């Protein structure tokens, strides 16, 4: 959620321009890049949640296995 300034969000091959009040929701496994494009930078609220699927090991490694009681 952008609170101030402007951002460029790249998801895969698609580029989005975001300004104050704009928000984006995407799977973090999608290649992504976020960059401020305003001269004074930008402010945003960034929320990341942990995946609850079988591919969690891609992000969490041993932590995901330990949560499931795996060695």
């Amino acid at each position: 959620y952008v609170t101030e300034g402007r951002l460029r969000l790249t998801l895969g091959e698609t580029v989005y321009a975001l300004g104050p009040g704009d928000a984006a929701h995407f799977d973090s496994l999608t290649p992504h890049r976020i960059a401020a494009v305003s001269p004074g930078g930008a402010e945003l609220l960034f929320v990341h949640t942990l995946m609850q699927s079988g591919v969690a090991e891609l992000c969490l490694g041993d932590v995901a296995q330990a949560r499931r009681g795996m060695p």
Side-chain angles (χ1 to χ4, degrees):
Y1 179 81
V2 182
T3 59
E4 289 185 30
R6 299 197 56 75
L7 296 174
R8 179 177 49 246
L9 170 63
T10 305
L11 296 174
E13 300 295 321
T14 306
V15 178
Y16 300 91
L18 302 175
D22 290 335
H25 178 264
F26 58 93
D27 184 334
S28 63
L29 293 178
T30 301
H32 58 279
R33 171 170 247 149
I34 301 171
V37 294
S38 331
E43 290 187 16
L44 67 144
L45 172 63
F46 188 90
V47 178
H48 179 269
T49 59
L50 298 176
M51 296 181 353
Q52 301 295 315
S53 72
V55 296
E57 291 82 16
L58 294 173
C59 296
L60 302 175
D62 294 336
V63 173
Q65 291 176 358
R67 285 186 178 163
R68 290 195 312 257
M70 300 176 76

